Amino acid sequence: MVVSSPCSVVVFGFLGSFLLFHHGWQSLFVVVSVAGLAWALLLRTVSVRSRSRHKTHYKLSANSHMTERTLRLEVPPTPGPCTRIPWKKLLQQPPVLALFLAHFSHCFLFHNAISWLPTYFHDTFPDRINSAWQYNVLPWASMAVGSVLGGWLAEWMITQNVDMTVVRKTTTTICLGGGSLFLLLMGVVGRGGQRFSPTLLCAILSFGFDGVSVAATVSNPIDLTPSSAGALFGAMNSIGTLPGIFGVSLTGYILQATSNWVLVFSIMAGFNLVAGLTFLAFGSGKQLHLDS
């Protein structure tokens, strides 16, 4: 599921670059809008059919020789009592706060990257405008691959009976540490606008490591609070939207004031470093017992 996000950027990054250079901005907006509406209608159709199929289940009778159908209604189980989530206790737990900070840092890099990476390559390598599809597609393809590999790594560690806290701290370190390292290298290597391919490689590797978050912060809520993982994930993801609102604007302000991309990348890496160290110190993969 998480892989679908970078995959969509891959598809529309490649398609968008083609439409932009050959048919202008208007064609890009029209295609994206039509695709979104078509996808919404498809989901609506599938959900309605699925709902009706689950309400009534038809079972072929074994003695009818496939000619008569017997109808069997499946009564859904009665839901249990709704339990209140102890938010006050939950938000006082160091593993939860460390998770929020780590996810905030990951989203700070993600939202800034999706908003500013094309501008960085366009400004730094103006003579490579025909290569726009490469920096609009390849880093996101790498993120999709990193998400899959991160999931495989976490699953393999679990099958080897590795403690879940070690699994989450390992994947979080790979995600935040690797993403920060190659982000900084991208800024340093790209100085002067002469080394396009090495700079692009750094971007690809940075995004690939950042994709490991699917096995790190994204999966951690179900470890901490299995009975209310959805609520905790929702709160975590709400915090993760803040960099998309304020972080992108902050980056724009810094660039307008300094035109210093290395400073921008250093701030992102600094966030990741602080968040990674905090998660190493306080993060956990064990269930929280809030009643004790």
Side-chain angles (χ1 to χ4, degrees), residues 1-12 39 110 114 140-141 143-145 147-148 214:
M1 179 189 71
V2 180
V3 177
S4 62
S5 177
C7 284
S8 65
V9 181
V10 169
V11 173
F12 284 102
W39 185 250
F110 178 84
I114 198 172
W140 300 101
M143 178 174 284
V145 173
S147 298
V148 174
V214 69

Side-chain angles (χ1 to χ4, degrees), residues 3-36:
V3 177
S4 62
S5 177
C7 284
S8 65
V9 181
V10 169
V11 173
F12 284 102
F14 182 81
L15 179 63
S17 298
F18 175 81
L19 292 174
L20 178 62
F21 288 115
H22 292 84
H23 302 284
W25 280 106
Q26 186 177 6
S27 63
L28 176 60
F29 293 147
V30 170
V31 170
V32 172
S33 300
V34 171

Side-chain angles (χ1 to χ4, degrees), residues 2 5 23 26 65 88 101 114 156 178 198 227 275 286:
V2 180
S5 177
H23 302 284
Q26 186 177 6
H65 300 288
K88 184 175 181 180
L101 180 60
I114 198 172
W156 176 81
S227 61
K286 293 181 172 60

Side-chain angles (χ1 to χ4, degrees), residues 56-287:
T56 306
H57 176 72
Y58 292 94
K59 183 180 180 181
L60 293 176
S61 174
N63 300 323
S64 64
H65 300 288
M66 308 294 286
T67 58
E68 296 181 358
R69 295 174 180 242
T70 58
L71 180 65
R72 185 183 67 191
L73 295 178
E74 289 188 344
V75 181
T78 304
C82 182
T83 58
R84 299 184 62 180
I85 300 174
W87 285 111
K88 184 175 181 180
K89 289 184 178 180
L90 197 61
L91 296 178
Q92 293 174 350
Q93 303 299 314
V96 173
L97 299 178
L99 170 63
F100 284 175
L101 180 60
H103 190 68
F104 177 92
S105 179
H106 157 69
C107 290
F108 188 82
L109 189 153
F110 178 84
H111 288 298
N112 273 287
I114 198 172
S115 300
W116 289 107
L117 187 71
T119 304
Y120 165 73
F121 275 96
H122 180 273
D123 293 348
T124 306
F125 304 96
D127 57 328
R128 300 300 297 265
I129 190 66
N130 293 329
S131 302
W133 70 270
Q134 296 182 20
Y135 54 77
N136 284 331
V137 172
L138 296 181
W140 300 101
S142 174
M143 178 174 284
V145 173
S147 298
V148 174
L149 294 180
W152 284 348
L153 173 63
E155 185 176 3
W156 176 81
M157 294 178 70
I158 293 172
T159 59
Q160 299 300 310
N161 296 321
V162 178
D163 184 76
M164 187 60 72
T165 298
V166 176
V167 174
R168 298 304 179 211
K169 289 186 176 183
T170 300
T171 52
T172 301
T173 300
I174 293 174
C175 168
L176 299 180
S180 300
L181 174 62
F182 286 101
L183 188 69
L184 286 174
L185 287 176
M186 182 175 69
V188 174
V189 173
R191 273 184 169 179
Q194 300 297 323
R195 292 174 288 186
F196 176 80
S197 295
T199 305
L200 179 61
L201 178 61
C202 289
I204 292 172
L205 292 174
S206 178
F207 277 51
F209 280 109
D210 193 61
V212 181
S213 63
V214 69
T217 57
V218 175
S219 301
N220 197 214
I222 199 170
D223 303 325
L224 301 179
T225 56
S227 61
S228 54
L232 182 59
F233 181 86
M236 178 189 74
N237 225 30
S238 297
I239 293 174
T241 62
L242 296 179
I245 302 173
F246 302 105
V248 174
S249 300
L250 175 63
T251 299
Y253 174 80
I254 294 174
L255 290 174
Q256 185 178 21
T258 66
S259 300
N260 190 339
W261 284 101
V262 175
L263 175 62
V264 170
F265 296 148
S266 298
I267 293 174
M268 295 183 196
F271 268 113
N272 279 3
L273 177 62
V274 172
L277 292 176
T278 302
F279 194 86
L280 281 176
F282 301 105
S284 176
K286 293 181 172 60
Q287 182 177 352

